[in-house]
Amino acid sequence: RECLKMQKDLQLRFPKLSAKVNEVMMNMLNERMKKVREAITDIINTQFSSINTNHPDFMVEKTLWDIEVKFMSEPRDENETEAGQRVLKNLKHAEIIETLIEEYFTIVKESILDFIPKCIIYTLIDQMKDKVQFELFTKLNDGRDELMVESEEFVERREQALKKLNAYKMAIQAI
């Protein structure tokens, strides 16, 4: 609580410095946000650029087996025509493809949900944390005299306090 009060007091005392710090921080944040967006876009594009059929969670054989068992367990009509058998075969193939696509998209979704927070932490937070001190030093150092000018309110308060102090000193001497 005290730190926040001190920070607010410093912001009121040195408004130009406070404004410049905010400007530098917002510029850094905006710059890093562009990098975050680019990195996230790259992650998503990478995921959709090719299918990794060797992914350990992508169980093609199990999916094929499950669908085969399902079709084998369904009752068959002995009088079924060749066209009917082709339709059933096409339905089976369509279900296989649909199931594999759903399974793979689940893997991609989980992967993206895992990588995006890591990407944000690395690209935005870690890199900004590493550069903030240098950026503030370089951007604030040039106009430091102008930035350290106190607000009129603080100058006035100090002058009033000095007048009171001098009045107290004179009162003590008089006693």
Side-chain angles (χ1 to χ4, degrees):
R1 194 179 278 176
E2 278 300 311
C3 287
L4 290 175
K5 185 182 179 316
M6 286 175 54
Q7 179 184 5
K8 187 174 181 183
D9 288 345
L10 285 173
Q11 288 174 338
L12 292 172
R13 184 175 178 187
F14 302 107
K16 289 181 181 179
L17 176 64
S18 179
K20 186 66 174 179
V21 168
N22 285 337
E23 177 190 328
V24 170
M25 294 301 291
M26 288 307 294
N27 288 342
M28 282 184 71
L29 187 60
N30 289 333
E31 177 189 322
R32 296 310 317 156
M33 284 303 294
K34 287 178 191 174
K35 302 278 185 192
V36 167
R37 285 187 202 100
E38 290 170 7
I40 290 172
T41 301
D42 288 346
I43 288 171
I44 292 170
N45 289 339
T46 300
Q47 286 292 334
F48 289 119
S49 69
S50 64
I51 295 176
N52 179 7
T53 56
N54 294 324
H55 192 284
D57 295 339
F58 192 52
M59 297 187 228
V60 176
E61 291 82 13
K62 183 185 179 312
T63 303
L64 294 174
W65 177 255
D66 290 347
I67 292 172
E68 189 66 40
V69 167
K70 178 185 167 197
F71 271 91
M72 295 302 266
S73 63
E74 290 178 358
R76 297 272 182 238
D77 184 3
E78 296 295 326
N79 298 328
E80 203 173 328
T81 64
E82 187 178 318
Q85 288 177 353
R86 267 185 284 165
V87 168
L88 281 176
K89 187 176 181 182
N90 286 341
L91 283 174
K92 182 172 125 179
H93 286 217
E95 187 173 342
I96 289 170
I97 291 169
E98 182 181 347
T99 304
L100 290 173
I101 289 171
E102 286 174 2
E103 199 174 297
Y104 194 73
F105 274 120
T106 299
I107 293 167
V108 168
K109 180 178 139 188
E110 289 172 0
S111 178
I112 287 174
L113 288 173
D114 180 48
F115 281 120
I116 298 299
K118 292 175 183 176
C119 174
I120 292 170
I121 288 169
Y122 173 73
T123 309
L124 181 66
I125 298 169
D126 290 348
Q127 290 189 6
M128 196 162 161
K129 176 187 70 170
D130 293 342
K131 296 177 182 179
V132 72
Q133 186 176 0
F134 178 77
E135 279 292 312
L136 285 171
F137 179 78
T138 56
K139 303 287 189 212
L140 300 178
N141 198 32
D142 290 339
R144 69 178 172 261
D145 293 336
E146 182 184 325
L147 295 174
M148 295 305 291
V149 172
E150 291 180 313
S151 69
E152 293 287 327
E153 178 186 342
F154 269 82
V155 171
E156 206 173 290
R157 284 174 51 190
R158 187 185 330 53
E159 288 173 1
Q160 288 175 355
L162 285 172
K163 285 179 185 177
K164 283 183 183 180
L165 179 63
N166 288 334
Y168 291 142
K169 285 180 180 178
M170 287 174 58
I172 290 173
Q173 286 178 353
I175 298 179

